[in-house]
Amino acid sequence: MRRAALRLCTLSKGLLAPSRGLAQGSQNPEKQRVFHIHEACSPIHVNHGVCVRDKLREIVGASTNWRDHVKAMEERKLLHSFLAASQKGLPPRRMKDSYIEVLLPLGSQPELREKYLTVQNTVRFGRILEDLDSLGVLICYMHNKIHSAKMSPLSIVTALVDRIDMCKKSLSPEQDIKFSGHVSWVGKTSMEVKMHMFQLHDNEFSPVLDATFVMVARDSENKGPAFVNPLTLESPEEEEIFRQGELNKGTRVAFSSMSLLKMAPTAEERTAIHEMFLNTLDPKTVSFRSRVLPPNAVWMENSKLKSLDICHPQERNIFNRIFGGFLMRKAYELGWATACNFGGSRPFIVAVDDIMFQKPVEVGSLLFLSSQVCFTQGNYIQVRVHSEVASLQDKEHMTTNVFHFTFMSEKEVPLVFPRTYGESMLYLDGQRHFSSMSAPVTLKKDHLIEP
């Protein structure tokens, strides 16, 4: 099944009211940029409709045929002259310049539903992740658009999924879904993108999720960093959005500096791990080696699931690497299965955070995913998915991503206990990610988001 594509169209006024006023005040339909999500791309037809996958290929000059990808990438070398020597040489852009709205017409076009359906007649969240990734890239290209150039000299890729929070868990497969988004913060070579998802209910779009992605710009051959257009702020509201982007950057730096790969656990964390260790000692013996599980508990090592995928050309992005949305979907689906197997009932996604894209995945690679429960509390299950690749010629495995998913089960789940020091660090890392989650959501049983 091909990935979702986004199709440009013009919708009736009032159906998709621009959020935060970012697209207001413009009479030019191009400024409104409302898209449709469809299962497959088709030629330009009504209202100058353009498939977003085709639009992205047009922006970078990528070929639609795998056999032509080398030639297409060679042609991008000629775009180096359009790259700015510094950010000062680029014109500032407004938030409204990158604002885009996207419609997924599950209600008005029922033939599109199957790609997004689970067997329980709910919506696949893995497909939503793919759509968010494509939308984030397009938003950044709108921010950095060069009107004098047919193709963009920039190669824009996803660097980080900073946060996805569910603000409403009810999601019907029979009602239209809307996405919106814009650039909310820029550095010299990076951009933060805010995206929102809504669903039609009683003729109004109600919030479903908020997402924050970080994108980076690289040169035309995707070999080194490139400067992006600065952002000009036009209202106190936009200044607050930008300030939040600065805070998010600071939080990421602070969180990284406190990583358990760099720093020892805090005194409180060390005490908690030691208490867990003492709770697993066999009271019948006087030995540190004799370990027993407390009631309603599972060893962390017994919560693992693994998968293997071959990365075919069909899953490539516009730069002929494997599409980041595909990686997120596969990791999410394995994480969901892990939470389901652990909790004994269908889990529902609550939050996604801190997905760092450390290394691109080449077409033809073997993709190894390893998932395990690393923290639980009440009905919540924190799942960590580790992704690594190996080429067909080289057996060396290299880490590409680490994914963090927070699920909620319909019933209370067992406690998970680490047995080794390494597992104890995974437990603490999972606890940290869980603690960074927004306020817990209320579980609803009908039409919930699943893989």
Side-chain angles (χ1 to χ4, degrees), residues 3 5 58 72 98 141 178 204 212 231 236 275 279 329 402:
R3 285 189 301 274
E58 177 187 330
S98 62
Y141 273 118
K178 183 186 77 168
E204 291 186 0
T212 304
L231 189 63
E275 288 179 354
N279 287 336
R329 175 169 64 84
V402 177

Side-chain angles (χ1 to χ4, degrees), residues 14 79 101 109 172 187 260 268 291 309-310 317 341 355 433:
L79 298 174
E101 291 184 346
Q109 297 187 25
S172 168
L260 292 167
E268 182 179 357
R291 309 281 295 278
D309 282 280
I310 303 173
N317 62 17
N341 186 58
I355 299 177
H433 283 282

